[in-house]
């Protein structure tokens, strides 16, 4: 794991993923080819693969860092990978190397000990213990906590111009604990709207649902993104549904659909 983290620290400054300011589909054909040839896949596919592999639900933090990304991808590492089994999600910006963020999930029975790192310990609002490590400039920052069946490792670049800091990583962790602890997550209202409007628009049943996260675009505009799978008879396909709303008043603004 240490080798993986240190190598990631170096790679953080050299690769690039995708955020709806934002998180678009992998657009650059060269980067897309390199990512997929190295074992990367779409985030939702990686999540589904790890849920199937580990036999338990995977919850990603609803909140993302408030910076722009150009690419996102995931990978579910199994025993054949030669690494500890885990899920990895990577967000990159190939134009801004410091806009680099990664989520790793390890099952608790196989959690990373990381005793060699000097952590600063803190407590989230639900009393979950969290640990933060900040390496030298041009390496990495690491935020670690546990929730449900998983150990979460949030990694960000530690460059001179990095806008992802301890505060942002703490808020991301808080968004997950709030969503998991709440019977009615913050995005539930918009998820219900996404499902209802998709069924109305396509006149088909929604048979699968994946929450893909929130993007805060400004003080007056935020978006929740969902991936739905629709089916009617022999016809079936996926659609991304993005709901725009005011983040303070929670007033609905618009909804858009993108068929996959």
């Amino acid at each position: 794991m240490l080798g993986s983290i240190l190598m990631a620290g170096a790679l953080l400054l050299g690769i690039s993923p995708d955020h709806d300011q934002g998180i678009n589909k992998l657009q650059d054909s060269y980067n897309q080819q390199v990512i997929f040839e190295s074992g990367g896949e779409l985030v939702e596919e990686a999540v589904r693969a790890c849920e199937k592999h580990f036999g338990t639900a995977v919850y990603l933090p609803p909140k993302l860092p408030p910076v722009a990304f150009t690419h996102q991808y995931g990978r579910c590492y199994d025993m054949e990978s030669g690494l500890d089994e885990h899920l990895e999600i990577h967000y990159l910006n190939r134009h801004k190397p410091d806009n680099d963020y990664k989520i790793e999930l390890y099952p608790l029975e196989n959690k990373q000990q990381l005793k060699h790192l000097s952590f600063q310990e803190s407590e989230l609002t639900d009393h979950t213990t969290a640990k933060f490590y900040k390496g030298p400039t041009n390496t990495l920052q690491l935020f670690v906590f546990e929730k449900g069946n998983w150990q979460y490792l949030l990694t960000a670049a530690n460059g001179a111009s990095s806008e992802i800091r301890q505060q942002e990583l703490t808020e991301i962790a808080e968004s997950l604990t709030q969503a998991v602890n709440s019977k009615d997550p913050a995005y539930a209202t918009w998820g219900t709207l996404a499902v209802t409007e998709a069924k109305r628009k396509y006149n088909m049943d929604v048979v699968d649902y994946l929450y893909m996260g929130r993007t805060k675009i400004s003080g007056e505009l935020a978006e929740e993104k969902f991936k739905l799978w629709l089916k009617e008879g022999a016809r079936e396909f996926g659609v991304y549904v993005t709901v725009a709303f005011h983040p303070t008043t929670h007033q609905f603004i618009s909804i858009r659909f993108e068929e996959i």
Side-chain angles (χ1 to χ4, degrees):
M1 173 60 195
L2 174 59
S4 173
I5 286 182
L6 294 179
M7 182 172 288
L11 291 177
L12 283 173
L13 305 176
I15 314 181
S16 277
D18 157 316
H19 187 299
D20 242 353
Q21 294 167 342
I23 296 181
N24 309 309
K25 292 182 178 179
L26 297 175
Q27 303 175 53
D28 186 300
S29 59
Y30 172 77
N31 284 316
Q32 178 178 350
Q33 181 179 358
V34 170
I35 288 171
F36 287 141
E37 286 181 353
S38 66
E41 56 188 343
L42 297 177
V43 170
E44 57 267 26
E45 294 176 355
V47 169
R48 295 301 186 207
C50 266
E51 287 185 326
K52 182 177 181 181
H53 179 72
F54 291 108
T56 187
V58 169
Y59 298 98
L60 297 180
K63 188 178 181 65
L64 290 172
V67 299
F69 297 110
T70 60
H71 292 75
Q72 68 171 354
Y73 64 92
R75 183 170 180 179
C76 183
Y77 288 91
D78 56 24
M79 292 292 290
E80 297 179 359
S81 69
L83 300 174
D84 290 340
E85 296 179 299
H86 70 286
L87 170 66
E88 179 176 311
I89 309 296
H90 206 159
Y91 298 84
L92 311 137
N93 188 319
R94 66 188 183 91
H95 306 296
K96 297 181 178 180
D98 280 345
N99 289 12
D100 196 300
Y101 166 65
K102 183 165 64 175
I103 308 171
E104 293 176 273
L105 278 73
Y106 289 85
L108 288 182
E109 63 269 19
N110 187 36
K111 69 180 182 180
Q112 305 301 291
Q113 299 303 319
L114 307 172
K115 294 180 180 179
H116 50 281
L117 298 178
S118 298
F119 283 101
Q120 172 189 337
E121 196 166 293
S122 62
E123 193 173 82
L124 303 180
T125 54
D126 70 341
H127 305 299
T128 295
T129 298
K131 297 185 293 183
F132 175 71
Y133 166 80
K134 185 173 183 178
T137 302
N138 294 333
T139 58
L140 56 78
Q141 302 173 80
L142 181 62
F143 195 93
V144 184
F145 65 101
E146 298 175 9
K147 198 66 184 174
N149 299 314
W150 301 96
Q151 177 194 45
Y152 289 78
L153 277 64
L154 310 181
T155 306
N158 185 29
S161 62
S162 176
E163 297 179 40
I164 307 173
R165 298 171 294 268
Q166 182 178 4
Q167 179 62 34
E168 283 69 38
L169 297 176
T170 300
E171 291 175 358
I172 290 169
E174 294 278 15
S175 76
L176 176 74
T177 60
Q178 291 168 10
V180 171
N181 293 339
S182 174
K183 295 181 180 179
D184 184 22
Y187 61 82
T189 298
W190 306 121
T192 300
L193 178 66
V195 170
T196 300
E197 293 303 312
K199 291 170 68 174
R200 179 179 301 165
K201 177 179 175 65
Y202 296 102
N203 194 29
M204 299 172 68
D205 291 328
V206 175
V207 296
D208 201 1
Y209 169 107
L210 177 66
Y211 175 55
M212 300 189 68
R214 172 179 293 193
T215 301
K216 186 175 181 180
I217 298 173
S218 70
E220 298 180 348
L221 179 63
E223 293 181 340
E224 299 278 21
K225 187 172 183 178
F226 307 87
K227 180 184 178 183
L228 309 181
W229 196 257
L230 297 93
K231 184 174 183 180
E232 186 66 36
R235 185 188 178 208
E236 61 179 84
F237 63 94
V239 60
Y240 291 118
V241 183
T242 303
V243 181
F245 61 98
H246 193 292
T248 303
T249 65
H250 301 287
Q251 181 179 6
F252 170 75
I253 296 175
S254 67
I255 186 169
R256 64 179 186 270
F257 304 83
E258 180 188 357
E259 296 182 21
I260 303 169

